[in-house]
Amino acid sequence: MKVTFQIRGASPVSIECTPGENLLELARRANVAMDAPCSGNGSCGKCRVKLLDGTLETVRSPHITPEEYEAGWRLACNSKVLSDCTVLVPDAAGAYRSRMKTAGLSSPEEIAIFEACQKQLKARGISFDNGFRSLDVVMDSPSLEDTMPDSERLERAVKAILAVENVRIPFAVMVKLARVLRENEFRVCVKGRWENDSFCCMEICPPDDTALVGCAMDIGTTTVTLVLADLKTGEILAKGSCGNGQIRYGADVINRIIQQGRPGGRKELRDAILEETLKPLAANLCETAGISASSILCLSIGANTTMNHLLLGLDAAPIRMEPYIPCFFRWEGLLAGDLELPANPLAPVRIAPNIGSYVGGDITAGTLASGIWDREEMSLFIDLGTNGEIVFGNRDFLMACACSAGPAFEGGDISCGMRATDGAVEAAAIDCVTMEPTLSVIGQPGQKVAGICGSGIIDMISELYRCGIINARGQFQRAGRRILRDAFGSGRYVLAFPEESETGREVSINEVDIDNFIRAKAAIFSGVDTLLRSVDMTADCIDRVYVAGGIGSGINMKNAVSIGMLPDVGTEKFRYIGNSSLSGAYAMAVSDGAYEKCVSLAANMTYLELSACPGYMDSFVAACFIPHTDRSLFSNSVQEG
Amino acid sequence: MKVTFQIRGASPVSIECTPGENLLELARRANVAMDAPCSGNGSCGKCRVKLLDGTLETVRSPHITPEEYEAGWRLACNSKVLSDCTVLVPDAAGAYRSRMKTAGLSSPEEIAIFEACQKQLKARGISFDNGFRSLDVVMDSPSLEDTMPDSERLERAVKAILAVENVRIPFAVMVKLARVLRENEFRVCVKGRWENDSFCCMEICPPDDTALVGCAMDIGTTTVTLVLADLKTGEILAKGSCGNGQIRYGADVINRIIQQGRPGGRKELRDAILEETLKPLAANLCETAGISASSILCLSIGANTTMNHLLLGLDAAPIRMEPYIPCFFRWEGLLAGDLELPANPLAPVRIAPNIGSYVGGDITAGTLASGIWDREEMSLFIDLGTNGEIVFGNRDFLMACACSAGPAFEGGDISCGMRATDGAVEAAAIDCVTMEPTLSVIGQPGQKVAGICGSGIIDMISELYRCGIINARGQFQRAGRRILRDAFGSGRYVLAFPEESETGREVSINEVDIDNFIRAKAAIFSGVDTLLRSVDMTADCIDRVYVAGGIGSGINMKNAVSIGMLPDVGTEKFRYIGNSSLSGAYAMAVSDGAYEKCVSLAANMTYLELSACPGYMDSFVAACFIPHTDRSLFSNSVQEG
């Protein structure tokens, strides 16, 4: 039996199967990209396919209207294959594919972020030095009078240059030593690093290849971003990002942990991030930078606890089972070769330490980059990604917690939600009178609307509330051309009618979406509230708010405050610092001191388990309104709804 | 086109080929064991096959008589395949197969050699301690009140037991940490080693698996021998040996170096020793000892310079090209995992240092085991293997050289020569009057003669000379039933007529054989002579002579002196010390101090390049007689011939 996937913009893919197999599983096996943020349990409704030919046995889903069902639409996760089938994978699912594209080189603005990070850390006493070196090594050619073996010849020459006692030549270098020395007539470039009082020769090259490169990796649940940086100058050589290939195993860490626990799952998840994501992305960047992977002598990783485990192939199951124990927080000694990462196999891998099962290295790296650990003033650091994590404190203490915000900030749990990619509404305004929207859509001019990303949802909810279209509970209370209601009376606001949209389907935001998002923003707000209360402080104590994370690039801080997501402390205190996990990883790759600082600040961070805090649930429930049940908390920003 | 090899005692093997392919190459490709000590250049005449069916184009060889040719006998190395063929691979070639058999456990006598080595080194101040440990680690199970990650939990427990600051958990352990801790309810055995002031956890096991094992490897050009030893007590757990699988690429190091230089050759040679030889042998020993390979925490290697290079996959070509530069003499930091050796991947590999292109780690390990480096008396240490190496000195100095003795001691370059395996004449005496031989043959009672091994050749030449059958030049000068001459008048002595022999072919020793052997023994004698002269000494200065190596087990020292192979210093000074390379490797595996001693004595050995010594050639030429042109050198032992 055979299933053929027709994919817009790509060649069809066929796969053999046996009767009764699940269509989503088949798509995964066939490497057909399909959005399945709920990991196939039928709840998200994103794995839509159109049956063109053949028979599927499908459990009916509320996500498919009777008209759609009639037209052939099915959820892949709910469908069993009963005969040879041909299905169309619509372009909406292709958003996944587009996310897998490698982004180009950085713009000057993006590069400025790294320069700012370097400047900021230097100002705080972190030296941007490291122990990596490239040496121009010239040796006498051997003769009958001088029969020193190759390794000793190299060792002596390196010792003479560095005035060092011990020189280590590892296996990978020894294997090519004879050839490289002779091909280059005993003049070579040796790349290596200091290991305490000895020098390790990590690579031996022709004398003109002197590149020393560090690779910083931000491995997000959704998006992976890498930069290559010159280890001598800190200069950014290349930057690129793409989707995390694990996404087809679920949008959030919980679904991925479940998947990795199935037979062969650890390897599948590891292959998805390593083989499908990191290797092609790194190869692409190496080509852009004109360097060989073996010139990458240092790697650093900013990733959450689960992503760290899945990358290393460690069993992540205990992370989600009481008592929630990860394999490691801090771990040194990993080499690129252990993981077969695309780099010199001897390159150390510097993992930003985790501090809890749900506060990982992305947050410690981000905290490093934010500089809040060195300031007297009290800072709040919020990373808005697939979940939300919060750090609060100053040079004297740091508290951290994770909020169960779910994937809403990245478009998950939202009917027309999508990630910040082509076709996504990233900003919006509504005319209070006409109730007509003004939308900012990601993409080339003329790009039609395909869905809404996190920052667009914030704007929409803020504007709907400001215009009185929805009330504080998120229920629709005005009528108009763009406000439709379903059979049960539940309202929705249409951003794009079917004929206006990219997909031919209506793009709207409904009451269920708003409710989901309100719970997500309430998780953040009550997290901040609980964290502050745990140190007997209030929002008044906050001197600065640093917002980081993928959601943030288009985020309208004022709107985020007005819906009660962020505390109402005055927008002048807010600062968007971009992908702070990547900035921190960059610093750790290039600077030995930054890595040490990240390790030490992680060791001194206190992890607060919100669910164990008295009052957290009350705080959460109170925050499940727009902006909050206690409007006095938002007296600066809020206009009456 | 297809060639089928019929092999006595084994199933036939077929291989596809194209017209004109070389039959020996095909045998190699088909993994059909065939003796080819000359590596296929037609000079040794050992790769005999009998053509049963089909057509070969064969260059005529002096090794095949016209009668044999008529009967179908060919040399595989001289034959091209012209049609589908079936050839018989005779049992003589099967000697190779029998060498590939793993020997059983050691006899008490063999084990006594290791005990003696340990005793001797202890008496010389070498402690039999090492840094390997197994720890019974009991941890609290995690709970909601105690959420320390697995790695930290383990680290803390190990720190508490050892009172150590730093504990390293490598990747290989981290990967299975979660599972092993939970399967064993947080009570485990940790196996590891001290690395300066930190402890590295190399393995984590159930609490009852506490085996700490070292594996010592003697990797000879011809034979490979391994022992497993308990790292706590030094006890021998298992011992076994087999042929070096590289032998089908040539009997000596020069031919192997040529072979490894061909495309793909390095991998072929490495696979032959690693995959075909070491892995099965080690697996066999692990089974015998009832341990898992991951319990092997330390490896040590005694091997000559070329064997070291070929095992590691290093380019050996510069070793045989002027100015004869190996890749390394001493090299630390290799791990079992680098080579995929059958052991814990983190096990350090301790390579006995080479001191020259032709004096390798087998000699430095053997010197360690001999104890000559700690004695006041002057000792001569001779290792008789595929070549011969000599060390002379005492606690104050050590000189070493290599003799170009070739493979004669192991039966190479001898028409009916073979290695010391079933059917080999290992000792012989001749009745002066009847000229009839009394032969001692290796094997079960009733074993027929198949050939002569090194110790048998020494006895034969000594006895032929003593009985006046040959003169001092090795020419036959008596007549008798067993003394035959060819068409050119060249004589030979028949040990077994065709009807008496294992193979149905005559087993004899002829003038060419004797001439070859005389050159080999002259190389040893003149090596000793030149080495002594280089330090202004004579044979009178020698207090002891240690003879080591595979040839030695059956060697008759008196006969070896009487033919002028060893100096005439009184047989009471001679001592056979068995496989000293293996004994030394054993000491290095079990004792950190023995390894350090081996490294330091190697660093202090002086390598003498014989070919660069004035007078060496004269000395060699003078020794090319029985026993020597200067009979006064052998006044103790020699009766007139």
Side-chain angles (χ1 to χ4, degrees):
Chain A
M1 199 170 284
K2 197 171 76 168
V3 172
T4 302
F5 295 93
Q6 289 196 356
I7 307 159
R8 270 201 217 159
S11 306
V13 173
S14 293
I15 184 168
E16 290 293 324
C17 67
T18 53
E21 279 201 86
N22 179 285
L23 189 60
L24 180 62
E25 291 291 332
L26 285 169
R28 283 176 177 161
R29 226 161 67 207
N31 271 318
V32 171
M34 206 176 273
D35 235 357
C38 74
S39 197
N41 63 29
S43 67
C44 75
K46 302 240 160 143
C47 59
R48 296 166 70 97
V49 296
K50 190 172 183 180
L51 181 63
L52 302 179
D53 192 37
T55 312
L56 293 173
E57 179 188 315
T58 305
V59 177
R60 289 298 294 270
S61 157
H63 294 285
I64 305 284
T65 65
E67 297 76 33
E68 287 177 329
Y69 189 86
E70 204 55 42
W73 290 99
R74 304 286 186 274
L75 294 189
C77 70
N78 272 345
S79 301
K80 287 180 186 172
V81 177
L82 297 187
S83 73
D84 282 0
C85 283
T86 302
V87 297
L88 175 76
V89 181
D91 229 22
Y96 169 81
R97 275 205 320 286
S98 77
R99 283 198 312 275
M100 288 304 292
K101 277 185 209 151
T102 303
L105 251 181
S106 287
S107 63
E109 292 74 25
E110 281 191 284
I111 286 175
I113 290 182
F114 297 99
E115 288 170 354
C117 173
Q118 188 174 146
K119 200 174 149 196
Q120 136 124 287
L121 290 175
K122 279 182 177 166
R124 300 183 187 287
I126 304 285
S127 151
F128 263 62
D129 287 343
N130 56 56
F132 299 94
R133 297 286 178 274
S134 68
L135 309 174
D136 182 19
V137 182
V138 185
M139 291 152 277
D140 290 332
S141 290
S143 66
L144 282 174
E145 287 69 46
D146 171 12
T147 57
M148 206 186 288
D150 293 346
S151 62
E152 203 175 316
R153 193 171 298 272
L154 182 70
E155 270 172 39
R156 291 206 181 184
V158 172
K159 283 178 185 174
I161 293 171
L162 294 174
V164 60
E165 275 288 304
N166 294 306
V167 170
R168 191 161 79 85
I169 302 181
F171 184 61
V173 171
M174 189 65 101
V175 169
K176 56 180 161 187
L177 189 57
R179 179 180 56 77
V180 177
L181 288 184
R182 281 165 186 77
E183 280 178 4
N184 296 285
E185 293 170 341
F186 291 85
R187 175 177 183 169
V188 295
C189 173
V190 170
K191 302 174 182 181
R193 67 162 170 152
W194 287 98
E195 291 174 336
N196 301 319
D197 54 350
S198 70
F199 188 80
C200 173
C201 301
M202 297 168 68
E203 181 63 308
I204 175 170
C205 323
D208 55 329
D209 175 2
T210 62
L212 289 188
V213 182
C215 177
M217 310 198 260
D218 164 49
I219 303 179
T221 308
T222 305
T223 304
V224 171
T225 309
L226 266 59
V227 292
L228 299 184
D230 188 315
L231 287 174
K232 297 172 196 164
T233 62
E235 186 195 345
I236 300 290
L237 303 174
K239 179 181 174 224
S241 69
C242 67
N244 183 331
Q246 292 176 340
I247 211 145
R248 67 174 184 276
Y249 297 103
D252 58 30
V253 298
I254 297 299
N255 278 302
R256 306 244 182 113
I257 294 174
I258 294 169
Q259 289 288 331
Q260 67 100 42
R262 297 185 181 174
R266 260 154 86 180
K267 184 169 181 330
E268 280 176 9
L269 273 284
R270 201 174 151 228
D271 284 352
I273 180 65
L274 189 62
E275 301 295 332
E276 287 176 39
T277 311
L278 293 178
K279 284 192 181 175
L281 183 54
N284 187 313
L285 295 191
C286 284
E287 202 183 322
T288 303
I291 61 147
S292 63
S294 64
S295 298
I296 299 178
L297 298 196
C298 184
L299 290 160
S300 61
I301 297 177
N304 67 47
T305 310
T306 301
M307 289 304 109
N308 275 324
H309 279 62
L310 297 183
L311 172 67
L312 305 185
L314 305 181
D315 186 9
I319 291 179
R320 67 175 276 273
M321 291 182 303
E322 202 180 300
Y324 317 113
I325 306 297
C327 212
F328 72 100
F329 282 167
R330 174 193 177 186
W331 180 34
E332 304 210 22
L334 185 71
L335 299 181
D338 289 332
L339 286 181
E340 299 167 40
L341 280 168
N344 187 301
L346 303 166
V349 182
R350 295 174 169 176
I351 306 171
N354 309 305
I355 68 154
S357 277
Y358 296 101
V359 175
D362 50 346
I363 303 307
T364 55
T367 304
L368 170 73
S370 74
I372 65 172
W373 46 271
D374 190 48
R375 294 211 182 83
E376 195 160 350
E377 57 203 14
M378 290 293 163
S379 302
L380 188 63
F381 166 68
I382 304 181
D383 192 334
L384 296 174
T386 303
N387 249 328
E389 293 95 351
I390 304 168
V391 182
F392 178 70
N394 68 354
R395 65 170 58 157
D396 299 320
F397 77 97
L398 291 169
M399 301 281 296
C401 69
C403 309
S404 307
F409 301 135
E410 292 179 318
D413 281 356
I414 304 292
S415 58
C416 295
M418 64 184 287
R419 284 156 200 115
T421 180
D422 285 0
V425 173
E426 62 167 349
I430 298 177
D431 184 303
C432 259
V433 178
T434 65
M435 295 192 285
E436 281 301 303
T438 309
L439 304 177
S440 168
V441 181
I442 300 176
Q444 300 293 320
Q447 167 73 48
K448 287 184 171 177
V449 173
I452 324 173
C453 70
S455 57
I457 296 166
I458 290 173
D459 283 3
M460 282 304 300
I461 294 178
S462 175
E463 288 290 281
L464 288 170
Y465 182 67
R466 186 180 62 80
C467 298
I469 300 172
I470 57 174
N471 64 19
R473 289 194 145 79
Q475 293 158 338
F476 281 84
Q477 55 186 15
R478 283 179 72 178
R481 186 176 85 94
R482 290 191 175 266
I483 295 152
L484 306 181
R485 289 187 183 269
D486 67 13
F488 306 98
S490 177
R492 65 183 189 273
Y493 179 91
V494 179
L495 289 83
F497 289 101
E499 60 276 15
E500 301 165 339
S501 85
E502 172 77 16
T503 58
R505 295 173 62 211
E506 174 190 296
V507 175
S508 56
I509 179 165
N510 63 34
E511 287 183 8
V512 175
D513 298 335
I514 295 171
D515 192 53
N516 283 340
F517 198 85
I518 285 177
R519 280 189 282 108
K521 75 94 190 169
I524 298 292
F525 185 82
S526 55
V528 172
D529 180 53
T530 307
L531 200 56
L532 288 170
R533 276 192 291 111
S534 77
V535 287
D536 285 325
M537 291 191 182
T538 61
D540 301 339
C541 304
I542 301 172
D543 297 310
R544 281 166 185 255
V545 180
Y546 295 91
V547 178
I551 193 199
S553 56
I555 191 173
N556 180 319
M557 298 290 184
K558 195 167 155 293
N559 284 345
V561 171
S562 74
I563 65 167
M565 176 170 162
L566 300 178
D568 185 18
V569 294
T571 44
E572 77 286 357
K573 291 185 178 171
F574 284 88
R575 190 162 303 176
Y576 175 63
I577 57 169
N579 184 341
S580 61
S581 168
L582 182 64
S583 299
Y586 157 76
M588 292 198 307
V590 175
S591 152
D592 293 348
Y595 174 53
E596 284 158 24
K597 173 49 74 181
C598 188
V599 168
S600 74
L601 72 83
N604 291 314
M605 274 165 94
T606 305
Y607 174 68
L608 188 72
E609 175 56 47
L610 287 182
S611 62
C613 287
Y616 170 68
M617 271 316 291
D618 293 340
S619 174
F620 172 75
V621 171
C624 283
F625 284 81
I626 305 172
H628 196 275
T629 47
D630 180 1
R631 297 200 168 205
S632 70
L633 295 172
F634 292 86
S635 50
N636 297 330
S637 322
V638 176
Q639 298 119 318
E640 201 59 28
Chain B
M1 199 170 288
K2 196 171 76 168
V3 172
T4 301
F5 296 94
Q6 290 196 355
I7 308 159
R8 270 202 217 158
S11 306
V13 173
S14 293
I15 186 168
E16 290 294 324
C17 67
T18 53
E21 280 201 87
N22 178 285
L23 189 59
L24 180 62
E25 291 291 334
L26 285 170
R28 283 176 177 162
R29 226 163 64 207
N31 271 318
V32 171
M34 207 177 273
D35 236 356
C38 73
S39 197
N41 63 30
S43 68
C44 75
K46 302 242 157 141
C47 60
R48 297 164 69 98
V49 295
K50 191 172 182 179
L51 180 63
L52 302 179
D53 192 37
T55 312
L56 294 173
E57 179 187 316
T58 305
V59 178
R60 289 299 292 270
S61 157
H63 293 284
I64 305 284
T65 64
E67 297 76 33
E68 286 176 329
Y69 190 86
E70 204 55 42
W73 290 99
R74 304 287 187 273
L75 292 189
C77 70
N78 273 344
S79 301
K80 286 180 187 171
V81 177
L82 297 187
S83 73
D84 283 358
C85 284
T86 302
V87 298
L88 176 76
V89 182
D91 230 20
Y96 167 80
R97 275 205 319 285
S98 76
R99 282 198 313 274
M100 287 305 293
K101 278 186 208 152
T102 305
L105 251 181
S106 287
S107 62
E109 291 74 24
E110 281 192 283
I111 286 176
I113 290 181
F114 296 100
E115 287 169 354
C117 172
Q118 187 174 147
K119 200 173 149 193
Q120 135 125 286
L121 290 176
K122 278 183 179 167
R124 299 182 189 288
I126 305 285
S127 151
F128 263 62
D129 287 343
N130 56 56
F132 299 93
R133 296 287 178 274
S134 68
L135 309 174
D136 182 19
V137 183
V138 185
M139 290 152 276
D140 290 332
S141 291
S143 66
L144 282 174
E145 288 67 47
D146 171 12
T147 57
M148 206 186 287
D150 294 347
S151 63
E152 203 175 316
R153 195 171 295 273
L154 183 71
E155 271 174 40
R156 291 207 179 184
V158 171
K159 283 179 184 174
I161 293 171
L162 294 174
V164 60
E165 274 289 304
N166 294 306
V167 171
R168 190 161 78 86
I169 302 183
F171 185 60
V173 171
M174 190 63 101
V175 170
K176 57 180 160 186
L177 189 57
R179 180 179 55 77
V180 177
L181 288 185
R182 282 166 185 76
E183 280 177 1
N184 297 284
E185 294 171 341
F186 291 85
R187 175 175 183 170
V188 295
C189 174
V190 169
K191 302 173 182 182
R193 67 160 169 152
W194 287 98
E195 289 174 337
N196 301 320
D197 56 349
S198 70
F199 188 80
C200 172
C201 301
M202 298 167 67
E203 180 64 310
I204 175 170
C205 321
D208 54 328
D209 176 0
T210 61
L212 288 187
V213 182
C215 176
M217 311 197 259
D218 165 49
I219 304 178
T221 310
T222 306
T223 304
V224 172
T225 310
L226 265 59
V227 291
L228 298 184
D230 188 318
L231 287 174
K232 297 172 196 164
T233 62
E235 186 195 346
I236 300 290
L237 303 174
K239 180 182 174 223
S241 69
C242 67
N244 183 330
Q246 292 175 340
I247 212 145
R248 66 174 184 274
Y249 297 102
D252 58 30
V253 296
I254 296 301
N255 278 303
R256 305 242 183 118
I257 293 174
I258 294 169
Q259 288 289 331
Q260 67 99 42
R262 297 186 182 176
R266 261 155 85 181
K267 182 168 184 331
E268 280 176 7
L269 273 282
R270 200 174 152 227
D271 283 352
I273 181 64
L274 189 62
E275 302 294 332
E276 288 177 38
T277 311
L278 293 178
K279 283 192 180 176
L281 184 53
N284 187 312
L285 296 191
C286 284
E287 202 183 325
T288 303
I291 60 145
S292 63
S294 64
S295 297
I296 299 178
L297 298 197
C298 184
L299 291 158
S300 61
I301 297 177
N304 66 48
T305 309
T306 301
M307 290 304 110
N308 275 325
H309 279 62
L310 297 183
L311 172 67
L312 304 186
L314 305 180
D315 186 9
I319 291 178
R320 68 174 276 271
M321 291 182 304
E322 201 178 300
Y324 318 111
I325 307 297
C327 211
F328 73 100
F329 282 167
R330 175 195 175 185
W331 182 33
E332 305 210 21
L334 185 70
L335 299 181
D338 289 331
L339 287 180
E340 297 168 41
L341 280 168
N344 187 300
L346 303 165
V349 182
R350 295 173 168 176
I351 305 171
N354 310 305
I355 68 157
S357 277
Y358 297 101
V359 175
D362 50 346
I363 304 308
T364 54
T367 304
L368 171 73
S370 74
I372 66 173
W373 47 271
D374 189 48
R375 294 211 182 82
E376 194 159 349
E377 57 202 12
M378 289 293 165
S379 301
L380 189 65
F381 166 67
I382 304 179
D383 192 332
L384 296 173
T386 303
N387 249 328
E389 294 94 351
I390 305 168
V391 181
F392 178 70
N394 68 355
R395 65 170 56 158
D396 298 320
F397 77 96
L398 291 168
M399 301 282 296
C401 68
C403 309
S404 308
F409 302 133
E410 293 180 318
D413 281 356
I414 304 294
S415 60
C416 295
M418 65 185 285
R419 284 156 200 117
T421 181
D422 285 359
V425 172
E426 63 166 348
I430 298 177
D431 184 304
C432 259
V433 178
T434 64
M435 295 192 286
E436 282 299 305
T438 308
L439 304 178
S440 167
V441 182
I442 299 176
Q444 300 293 320
Q447 168 73 48
K448 286 183 171 180
V449 173
I452 326 173
C453 71
S455 56
I457 296 166
I458 290 174
D459 282 5
M460 282 304 300
I461 294 178
S462 175
E463 288 289 282
L464 290 170
Y465 182 66
R466 186 180 62 79
C467 297
I469 299 172
I470 58 173
N471 65 17
R473 286 197 148 78
Q475 293 158 337
F476 283 83
Q477 55 186 15
R478 283 179 73 178
R481 185 174 87 93
R482 289 191 175 267
I483 295 151
L484 305 181
R485 288 185 186 271
D486 68 12
F488 305 99
S490 177
R492 65 183 187 273
Y493 179 91
V494 179
L495 289 84
F497 290 102
E499 61 275 18
E500 300 165 339
S501 85
E502 172 76 15
T503 58
R505 297 173 61 213
E506 175 189 294
V507 175
S508 56
I509 180 165
N510 63 35
E511 287 182 6
V512 175
D513 298 335
I514 294 170
D515 191 52
N516 283 341
F517 198 86
I518 285 175
R519 279 189 283 110
K521 74 94 188 170
I524 297 291
F525 186 83
S526 56
V528 173
D529 181 52
T530 307
L531 199 56
L532 287 170
R533 275 191 293 109
S534 78
V535 288
D536 284 328
M537 292 192 182
T538 62
D540 301 339
C541 304
I542 300 171
D543 297 309
R544 280 165 187 257
V545 180
Y546 295 91
V547 177
I551 193 200
S553 55
I555 193 174
N556 181 320
M557 298 290 184
K558 196 167 155 295
N559 284 346
V561 171
S562 74
I563 66 168
M565 176 170 163
L566 300 178
D568 186 16
V569 294
T571 44
E572 75 285 358
K573 292 185 178 171
F574 285 88
R575 191 162 300 175
Y576 175 63
I577 57 168
N579 184 340
S580 61
S581 168
L582 182 64
S583 299
Y586 156 77
M588 292 198 307
V590 175
S591 154
D592 293 349
Y595 174 53
E596 284 159 23
K597 173 49 75 180
C598 187
V599 168
S600 75
L601 72 83
N604 291 313
M605 275 165 93
T606 306
Y607 175 67
L608 188 72
E609 175 55 49
L610 286 181
S611 61
C613 287
Y616 170 68
M617 272 316 289
D618 292 341
S619 174
F620 172 74
V621 171
C624 283
F625 284 82
I626 307 174
H628 196 274
T629 47
D630 180 0
R631 295 199 170 207
S632 70
L633 293 173
F634 292 85
S635 50
N636 295 329
S637 322
V638 175
Q639 299 117 320
E640 199 62 27

